Structure formats: structure tokens, C-alpha cells
Amino acid sequence: MELTMTRIQSRQRILIGAALVALTLLAWAYLLMPGGETTMGESMANSLTMLALSVIMWSVMMVAMMLPGAGPMILTYARIHQQREANGSSAVPIWVFLAGYLTVWVGFGIAAALLQWGLHQSALLSSAMGKVGPLLAAGLLITAGAFQFSHLKQACLSKCRSPLSFLMTEWREGTVGALVMGIRHGVFCTGCCWALMLLMFVGGVMSLGWMAALALYFLAEKLLPGGERISRLTGVALIGAGIAMPFVVLLT
């Protein structure tokens, strides 16, 4: 009986993992649809409708970029959920925790869309690729690099890199508790990645290659051994790139 239960739980986790992969792939498929980049560029027009399209696009981007890195946390929550069910304790479905996590990132996407619209209205953003000018780009690179060394960055990164520790210290009972845990994990994840996410305005909001590179970096920073060292090395590289950018522009 115990072996059968273990197999069932293992299959359930595989299904959950497959669902996360499918949801991520659907988000990327939406971004890769023919005309997707055009839609993103047009969303900066002086129209509330176009602004709404930009909000949708940023929200999908957040799912595509941030869901893979949340996979270990979600699967760990699923394992605890299954163990509590097997022991007869009350357990809340995984989607509640996931909804809390994605709510935070969708909120960040809305803020980023408003920032993009504001930059465009101020003529600080190119309508072609969604890039800021060299001086503002240099400032963003230096800011993101400096943030990599901050206590807040390292504290949030440690929470994201230790799913079991997070759930043990943050555990809350009930549906509301699961939602709050998801929201808190989303807040820590946002605290870890917000400055790097703003580099989309450096590489180009409409650049799917830049988006994929950042998504892979977020995944590596959270999952690979020595994530803190990776973070600091990245900080050095970003600060160096930010300092060099104005000189490169002058020489070209």
C-alpha cells in the first residue's frame, strides 16, 4: 500500500511538472506568434487600448520568464501537500499557491508596462525595439550591477534558492495561508530579480532573444551551485558594461 501511494505521489508530481512546462511553453508560444513583436511595438501608441495590450504582453512575459525558476518551489509545495493528504491533514491545492506567486509577477508586469508607456511618452524609448538611450541604459546597467551586491538581493536570493527552508519558515494553514505563501514567495522573487528585469529596456523590450537570456540567467542564479557568487560576478560585469557604454557610443 505504501509503495502504491509513493508511486501515485510520484506520478502526480510528474504531472504537475509537466503542467508547469506546458504553461511556460504556451506563454512563449504566445510571444513567438507571427506579429507578436509588432503588437508589442504598437502597444506604445497614445491609446488606452494599446496600453492594455502592453499590460497583457508584459504579464505573459512574466509567466514565460519567471515560472521555470519557481518550479522547484512549486514541486516542493506539491510534495508537502501530498504528504499532508496522506496523513489525513488538511491540504490546499497547488494552484492556490501558484496563483499567489503569479499575482505578484503580473503586478510587476503592469508596473513595467506603465513605465514603458511613460518612457515612450517622454520620447526616451525607441518605438522600434523598445530600448532606452545610451546614457539611461548605462544608468540601468550600473544600478542593476550594484544591486547584485546588496543585502536585499542576497536575502531574497537565499529564500528563492531554498524551497524547503522557505516553506518550513513561512508555512500558513488554509486556502488564505497558501495564497499568502505564494504571494510572499513572489515578493522575494521580485526582490531578487526586479533590477535585472529592468534590463529589458536596455536589450529591447521587443527582443525575444534578450528575454530568453534573462530567463535562463534567473534559472541559473536560483538553481546552480554558487548562486551568490554568480550574482556578484554578474554585478561586476554589469557595472563594467554600464561604465563602458558611453565611451563605446562616443567611439562609434
Side-chain angles (χ1 to χ4, degrees):
M1 178 66 71
E2 184 176 348
L3 181 60
T4 301
M5 182 62 67
T6 301
R7 287 177 177 174
I8 292 174
Q9 291 175 348
S10 178
R11 289 172 185 170
Q12 287 177 342
R13 287 195 291 272
I14 291 173
L15 288 174
I16 292 167
L20 293 176
V21 171
L23 185 58
T24 302
L25 291 177
L26 282 174
W28 279 101
Y30 176 81
L31 295 171
L32 290 168
M33 283 193 306
E37 292 184 3
T38 302
T39 300
M40 291 175 74
E42 290 175 350
S43 67
M44 288 298 97
N46 298 328
S47 165
L48 290 178
T49 301
M50 294 301 104
L51 178 58
L53 290 175
S54 181
V55 168
I56 292 171
M57 186 60 66
W58 269 97
S59 298
V60 175
M61 285 166 55
M62 295 303 98
V63 174
M65 295 174 70
M66 303 314 301
L67 194 55
M73 183 71 72
I74 295 168
L75 290 175
T76 302
Y77 179 86
R79 185 169 70 249
I80 294 174
H81 170 83
Q82 291 169 341
Q83 291 172 348
R84 288 173 66 87
E85 277 192 326
N87 294 332
S89 302
S90 61
V92 180
I94 300 152
W95 68 263
V96 178
F97 180 86
L98 179 59
Y101 176 78
L102 292 180
T103 295
V104 176
W105 274 110
V106 168
F108 181 89
I110 293 171
L114 291 170
L115 175 60
Q116 184 182 355
W117 186 81
L119 289 171
H120 186 272
Q121 292 294 95
S122 303
L124 296 174
L125 195 69
S126 68
S127 59
M129 286 298 293
K131 291 184 179 181
V132 295
L135 290 179
L136 186 51
L140 288 175
L141 285 167
I142 293 171
T143 299
F147 184 72
Q148 295 294 96
F149 295 93
S150 70
H151 175 73
L152 176 61
K153 166 72 181 189
Q154 298 306 319
C156 291
L157 182 59
S158 66
K159 290 283 188 178
C160 294
R161 286 176 58 84
S162 306
L164 186 58
S165 174
F166 171 85
L167 291 173
M168 288 179 65
T169 56
E170 298 285 341
W171 188 265
R172 290 166 170 79
E173 296 292 342
T175 301
V176 174
L179 185 65
V180 170
M181 282 193 293
I183 290 173
R184 287 183 62 82
H185 177 51
V187 169
F188 284 122
C189 191
T190 304
C192 177
C193 302
W194 69 270
L196 293 173
M197 190 66 75
L198 292 182
L199 296 183
M200 287 295 298
F201 293 105
V202 176
V205 175
M206 275 71 82
S207 172
L208 294 178
W210 189 246
M211 190 190 312
L214 282 175
L216 288 173
Y217 176 80
F218 293 145
L219 195 61
E221 193 177 52
K222 292 178 181 178
L223 300 184
L224 291 181
E228 294 83 0
R229 182 177 301 175
I230 294 172
S231 175
R232 292 189 173 95
L233 288 175
T234 302
V236 172
L238 290 174
I239 292 172
I243 293 172
M245 179 170 284
F247 298 100
V248 172
V249 171
L250 289 175
L251 293 174
T252 57

Short mmCIF file of all heavy atoms in Angstrom, two decimals, residues 67-109:
data_model
loop_
_atom_site.label_atom_id
_atom_site.label_comp_id
_atom_site.label_asym_id
_atom_site.label_seq_id
_atom_site.Cartn_x
_atom_site.Cartn_y
_atom_site.Cartn_z
N LEU A 67 8.23 31.58 -14.37
CA LEU A 67 7.64 30.31 -13.92
C LEU A 67 8.67 29.18 -13.84
O LEU A 67 8.64 28.39 -12.89
CB LEU A 67 6.48 29.93 -14.84
CG LEU A 67 5.56 28.81 -14.32
CD1 LEU A 67 5.02 29.14 -12.95
CD2 LEU A 67 4.41 28.58 -15.30
N PRO A 68 9.60 29.05 -14.82
CA PRO A 68 10.58 27.95 -14.71
C PRO A 68 11.39 28.00 -13.41
O PRO A 68 11.61 26.97 -12.76
CB PRO A 68 11.48 28.17 -15.93
CG PRO A 68 10.61 28.86 -16.92
CD PRO A 68 9.75 29.78 -16.10
N GLY A 69 11.83 29.18 -13.01
CA GLY A 69 12.62 29.30 -11.80
C GLY A 69 11.84 28.98 -10.54
O GLY A 69 12.42 28.64 -9.50
N ALA A 70 10.50 29.10 -10.61
CA ALA A 70 9.65 28.79 -9.46
C ALA A 70 9.31 27.31 -9.39
O ALA A 70 8.70 26.86 -8.41
CB ALA A 70 8.36 29.61 -9.52
N GLY A 71 9.72 26.55 -10.40
CA GLY A 71 9.38 25.13 -10.46
C GLY A 71 9.77 24.34 -9.21
O GLY A 71 8.93 23.62 -8.64
N PRO A 72 11.02 24.44 -8.73
CA PRO A 72 11.41 23.69 -7.52
C PRO A 72 10.56 24.03 -6.31
O PRO A 72 10.20 23.14 -5.53
CB PRO A 72 12.87 24.11 -7.32
CG PRO A 72 13.35 24.48 -8.68
CD PRO A 72 12.18 25.11 -9.36
N MET A 73 10.22 25.31 -6.14
CA MET A 73 9.38 25.71 -5.00
C MET A 73 7.99 25.09 -5.12
O MET A 73 7.43 24.58 -4.13
CB MET A 73 9.28 27.23 -4.94
CG MET A 73 8.48 27.76 -3.75
SD MET A 73 9.33 27.56 -2.17
CE MET A 73 10.64 28.80 -2.34
N ILE A 74 7.42 25.14 -6.32
CA ILE A 74 6.07 24.62 -6.53
C ILE A 74 6.05 23.10 -6.34
O ILE A 74 5.12 22.55 -5.73
CB ILE A 74 5.57 25.01 -7.94
CG1 ILE A 74 5.42 26.54 -8.02
CG2 ILE A 74 4.23 24.35 -8.25
CD1 ILE A 74 5.21 27.06 -9.42
N LEU A 75 7.07 22.41 -6.83
CA LEU A 75 7.12 20.95 -6.68
C LEU A 75 7.35 20.57 -5.22
O LEU A 75 6.82 19.55 -4.75
CB LEU A 75 8.23 20.38 -7.56
CG LEU A 75 7.95 20.44 -9.07
CD1 LEU A 75 9.17 19.95 -9.85
CD2 LEU A 75 6.73 19.60 -9.44
N THR A 76 8.12 21.36 -4.49
CA THR A 76 8.31 21.10 -3.06
C THR A 76 6.99 21.28 -2.31
O THR A 76 6.64 20.48 -1.42
CB THR A 76 9.38 22.03 -2.47
OG1 THR A 76 10.61 21.85 -3.18
CG2 THR A 76 9.61 21.72 -0.99
N TYR A 77 6.26 22.34 -2.65
CA TYR A 77 4.94 22.54 -2.05
C TYR A 77 4.02 21.37 -2.38
O TYR A 77 3.26 20.90 -1.52
CB TYR A 77 4.32 23.85 -2.56
CG TYR A 77 2.94 24.11 -1.99
CD1 TYR A 77 2.79 24.75 -0.77
CD2 TYR A 77 1.79 23.69 -2.66
CE1 TYR A 77 1.53 24.98 -0.23
CE2 TYR A 77 0.53 23.91 -2.14
CZ TYR A 77 0.41 24.55 -0.92
OH TYR A 77 -0.84 24.76 -0.40
N ALA A 78 4.10 20.87 -3.62
CA ALA A 78 3.27 19.72 -4.02
C ALA A 78 3.59 18.49 -3.19
O ALA A 78 2.68 17.74 -2.79
CB ALA A 78 3.49 19.43 -5.50
N ARG A 79 4.88 18.26 -2.90
CA ARG A 79 5.26 17.10 -2.10
C ARG A 79 4.71 17.21 -0.68
O ARG A 79 4.18 16.24 -0.12
CB ARG A 79 6.79 16.97 -2.06
CG ARG A 79 7.25 15.71 -1.34
CD ARG A 79 8.73 15.43 -1.54
NE ARG A 79 9.55 16.41 -0.82
CZ ARG A 79 10.30 17.32 -1.41
NH1 ARG A 79 10.32 17.42 -2.73
NH2 ARG A 79 11.03 18.15 -0.69
N ILE A 80 4.82 18.41 -0.09
CA ILE A 80 4.27 18.62 1.25
C ILE A 80 2.75 18.45 1.24
O ILE A 80 2.17 17.86 2.15
CB ILE A 80 4.66 20.01 1.77
CG1 ILE A 80 6.18 20.09 1.96
CG2 ILE A 80 3.94 20.33 3.08
CD1 ILE A 80 6.68 21.46 2.34
N HIS A 81 2.11 18.97 0.20
CA HIS A 81 0.66 18.84 0.04
C HIS A 81 0.25 17.37 0.03
O HIS A 81 -0.71 16.97 0.70
CB HIS A 81 0.26 19.54 -1.26
CG HIS A 81 -1.16 19.30 -1.67
ND1 HIS A 81 -2.22 20.02 -1.17
CD2 HIS A 81 -1.71 18.41 -2.54
CE1 HIS A 81 -3.34 19.59 -1.71
NE2 HIS A 81 -3.06 18.61 -2.56
N GLN A 82 1.00 16.55 -0.72
CA GLN A 82 0.68 15.12 -0.82
C GLN A 82 0.90 14.42 0.51
O GLN A 82 0.11 13.55 0.91
CB GLN A 82 1.55 14.48 -1.91
CG GLN A 82 1.20 14.94 -3.32
CD GLN A 82 2.23 14.50 -4.34
OE1 GLN A 82 3.36 14.16 -3.99
NE2 GLN A 82 1.85 14.50 -5.59
N GLN A 83 1.97 14.77 1.20
CA GLN A 83 2.25 14.14 2.49
C GLN A 83 1.17 14.47 3.51
O GLN A 83 0.76 13.61 4.30
CB GLN A 83 3.63 14.60 3.00
CG GLN A 83 4.79 14.06 2.18
CD GLN A 83 6.12 14.67 2.57
OE1 GLN A 83 6.18 15.67 3.31
NE2 GLN A 83 7.21 14.09 2.08
N ARG A 84 0.70 15.71 3.49
CA ARG A 84 -0.36 16.11 4.43
C ARG A 84 -1.66 15.38 4.10
O ARG A 84 -2.39 14.97 5.02
CB ARG A 84 -0.55 17.62 4.38
CG ARG A 84 0.59 18.41 5.01
CD ARG A 84 0.43 19.90 4.79
NE ARG A 84 -0.74 20.42 5.48
CZ ARG A 84 -0.75 20.84 6.75
NH1 ARG A 84 0.37 20.77 7.46
NH2 ARG A 84 -1.84 21.31 7.31
N GLU A 85 -1.96 15.23 2.83
CA GLU A 85 -3.16 14.48 2.43
C GLU A 85 -3.07 13.03 2.89
O GLU A 85 -4.04 12.45 3.38
CB GLU A 85 -3.35 14.55 0.91
CG GLU A 85 -4.03 15.82 0.43
CD GLU A 85 -4.45 15.71 -1.02
OE1 GLU A 85 -3.72 15.04 -1.79
OE2 GLU A 85 -5.50 16.28 -1.39
N ALA A 86 -1.88 12.43 2.69
CA ALA A 86 -1.69 11.02 3.08
C ALA A 86 -1.82 10.83 4.58
O ALA A 86 -2.26 9.77 5.06
CB ALA A 86 -0.31 10.55 2.60
N ASN A 87 -1.46 11.86 5.35
CA ASN A 87 -1.54 11.78 6.81
C ASN A 87 -2.90 12.21 7.35
O ASN A 87 -3.11 12.26 8.56
CB ASN A 87 -0.45 12.64 7.45
CG ASN A 87 0.94 12.12 7.16
OD1 ASN A 87 1.12 10.92 6.96
ND2 ASN A 87 1.92 13.02 7.11
N GLY A 88 -3.81 12.56 6.44
CA GLY A 88 -5.14 12.96 6.86
C GLY A 88 -5.26 14.41 7.29
O GLY A 88 -6.30 14.82 7.82
N SER A 89 -4.20 15.19 7.09
CA SER A 89 -4.24 16.61 7.45
C SER A 89 -4.86 17.42 6.31
O SER A 89 -4.90 16.98 5.16
CB SER A 89 -2.83 17.13 7.73
OG SER A 89 -2.22 16.38 8.76
N SER A 90 -5.34 18.60 6.66
CA SER A 90 -5.92 19.45 5.62
C SER A 90 -4.83 19.95 4.69
O SER A 90 -3.72 20.28 5.13
CB SER A 90 -6.64 20.65 6.26
OG SER A 90 -5.72 21.43 7.01
N ALA A 91 -5.12 20.00 3.40
CA ALA A 91 -4.15 20.44 2.42
C ALA A 91 -4.84 21.30 1.38
O ALA A 91 -6.00 21.06 1.02
CB ALA A 91 -3.49 19.23 1.74
N VAL A 92 -4.16 22.31 0.92
CA VAL A 92 -4.72 23.26 -0.05
C VAL A 92 -4.14 22.96 -1.42
O VAL A 92 -2.93 22.71 -1.55
CB VAL A 92 -4.39 24.71 0.36
CG1 VAL A 92 -4.96 25.70 -0.65
CG2 VAL A 92 -4.94 24.98 1.76
N PRO A 93 -4.95 22.96 -2.48
CA PRO A 93 -4.47 22.67 -3.83
C PRO A 93 -3.30 23.57 -4.25
O PRO A 93 -3.19 24.73 -3.83
CB PRO A 93 -5.69 22.94 -4.71
CG PRO A 93 -6.86 22.74 -3.80
CD PRO A 93 -6.40 23.19 -2.45
N ILE A 94 -2.44 23.04 -5.10
CA ILE A 94 -1.23 23.73 -5.52
C ILE A 94 -1.54 25.01 -6.27
O ILE A 94 -0.80 25.99 -6.18
CB ILE A 94 -0.38 22.78 -6.38
CG1 ILE A 94 -0.02 21.55 -5.56
CG2 ILE A 94 0.87 23.46 -6.91
CD1 ILE A 94 0.21 20.33 -6.35
N TRP A 95 -2.65 25.01 -7.02
CA TRP A 95 -2.93 26.17 -7.85
C TRP A 95 -3.14 27.44 -7.01
O TRP A 95 -2.92 28.55 -7.50
CB TRP A 95 -4.15 25.91 -8.74
CG TRP A 95 -5.47 25.79 -8.03
CD1 TRP A 95 -6.09 24.64 -7.65
CD2 TRP A 95 -6.33 26.86 -7.63
NE1 TRP A 95 -7.27 24.91 -7.01
CE2 TRP A 95 -7.45 26.27 -6.99
CE3 TRP A 95 -6.26 28.24 -7.72
CZ2 TRP A 95 -8.49 27.03 -6.46
CZ3 TRP A 95 -7.30 29.00 -7.19
CH2 TRP A 95 -8.40 28.40 -6.59
N VAL A 96 -3.55 27.27 -5.74
CA VAL A 96 -3.73 28.45 -4.88
C VAL A 96 -2.38 29.11 -4.61
O VAL A 96 -2.23 30.34 -4.69
CB VAL A 96 -4.41 28.05 -3.56
CG1 VAL A 96 -4.55 29.27 -2.64
CG2 VAL A 96 -5.77 27.43 -3.82
N PHE A 97 -1.39 28.29 -4.27
CA PHE A 97 -0.03 28.80 -4.05
C PHE A 97 0.49 29.45 -5.34
O PHE A 97 1.06 30.56 -5.31
CB PHE A 97 0.88 27.65 -3.63
CG PHE A 97 2.31 28.05 -3.38
CD1 PHE A 97 2.71 28.52 -2.14
CD2 PHE A 97 3.25 27.95 -4.39
CE1 PHE A 97 4.03 28.89 -1.91
CE2 PHE A 97 4.57 28.32 -4.17
CZ PHE A 97 4.96 28.79 -2.93
N LEU A 98 0.31 28.77 -6.48
CA LEU A 98 0.77 29.29 -7.76
C LEU A 98 0.08 30.60 -8.11
O LEU A 98 0.72 31.53 -8.64
CB LEU A 98 0.53 28.24 -8.86
CG LEU A 98 0.94 28.63 -10.28
CD1 LEU A 98 2.42 28.95 -10.35
CD2 LEU A 98 0.58 27.50 -11.25
N ALA A 99 -1.21 30.70 -7.82
CA ALA A 99 -1.96 31.93 -8.11
C ALA A 99 -1.38 33.11 -7.34
O ALA A 99 -1.26 34.22 -7.87
CB ALA A 99 -3.43 31.75 -7.77
N GLY A 100 -1.00 32.89 -6.08
CA GLY A 100 -0.40 33.96 -5.29
C GLY A 100 0.92 34.40 -5.88
O GLY A 100 1.20 35.61 -5.99
N TYR A 101 1.73 33.44 -6.31
CA TYR A 101 3.04 33.75 -6.90
C TYR A 101 2.88 34.56 -8.18
O TYR A 101 3.53 35.61 -8.36
CB TYR A 101 3.78 32.45 -7.19
CG TYR A 101 5.11 32.64 -7.88
CD1 TYR A 101 6.23 33.05 -7.17
CD2 TYR A 101 5.24 32.41 -9.25
CE1 TYR A 101 7.46 33.23 -7.81
CE2 TYR A 101 6.45 32.59 -9.89
CZ TYR A 101 7.55 33.00 -9.16
OH TYR A 101 8.76 33.18 -9.81
N LEU A 102 2.01 34.09 -9.08
CA LEU A 102 1.85 34.77 -10.36
C LEU A 102 1.17 36.13 -10.21
O LEU A 102 1.40 37.03 -11.03
CB LEU A 102 1.04 33.88 -11.33
CG LEU A 102 1.76 32.61 -11.79
CD1 LEU A 102 0.86 31.82 -12.75
CD2 LEU A 102 3.08 32.95 -12.48
N THR A 103 0.35 36.30 -9.18
CA THR A 103 -0.29 37.59 -8.95
C THR A 103 0.75 38.69 -8.76
O THR A 103 0.62 39.80 -9.30
CB THR A 103 -1.21 37.53 -7.72
OG1 THR A 103 -2.29 36.63 -7.99
CG2 THR A 103 -1.78 38.91 -7.39
N VAL A 104 1.81 38.37 -8.02
CA VAL A 104 2.86 39.36 -7.78
C VAL A 104 3.56 39.72 -9.08
O VAL A 104 3.80 40.90 -9.39
CB VAL A 104 3.88 38.82 -6.76
CG1 VAL A 104 5.03 39.81 -6.58
CG2 VAL A 104 3.20 38.57 -5.43
N TRP A 105 3.88 38.71 -9.89
CA TRP A 105 4.61 38.99 -11.12
C TRP A 105 3.73 39.67 -12.17
O TRP A 105 4.22 40.49 -12.95
CB TRP A 105 5.22 37.71 -11.68
CG TRP A 105 6.55 37.45 -11.05
CD1 TRP A 105 6.88 36.45 -10.18
CD2 TRP A 105 7.75 38.22 -11.22
NE1 TRP A 105 8.20 36.56 -9.80
CE2 TRP A 105 8.75 37.63 -10.43
CE3 TRP A 105 8.06 39.36 -11.97
CZ2 TRP A 105 10.05 38.15 -10.35
CZ3 TRP A 105 9.35 39.87 -11.90
CH2 TRP A 105 10.33 39.27 -11.11
N VAL A 106 2.45 39.36 -12.19
CA VAL A 106 1.54 40.09 -13.09
C VAL A 106 1.47 41.55 -12.65
O VAL A 106 1.46 42.47 -13.49
CB VAL A 106 0.14 39.45 -13.09
CG1 VAL A 106 -0.87 40.36 -13.79
CG2 VAL A 106 0.18 38.09 -13.79
N GLY A 107 1.46 41.78 -11.34
CA GLY A 107 1.51 43.16 -10.84
C GLY A 107 2.77 43.87 -11.28
O GLY A 107 2.72 45.04 -11.68
N PHE A 108 3.90 43.18 -11.24
CA PHE A 108 5.15 43.77 -11.72
C PHE A 108 5.05 44.05 -13.22
O PHE A 108 5.53 45.09 -13.69
CB PHE A 108 6.32 42.82 -11.46
CG PHE A 108 7.65 43.37 -11.92
CD1 PHE A 108 8.43 44.14 -11.07
CD2 PHE A 108 8.14 43.11 -13.19
CE1 PHE A 108 9.64 44.66 -11.48
CE2 PHE A 108 9.35 43.62 -13.62
CZ PHE A 108 10.11 44.40 -12.75
N GLY A 109 4.42 43.13 -13.97
CA GLY A 109 4.25 43.34 -15.40
C GLY A 109 3.42 44.57 -15.70
O GLY A 109 3.72 45.33 -16.65
#
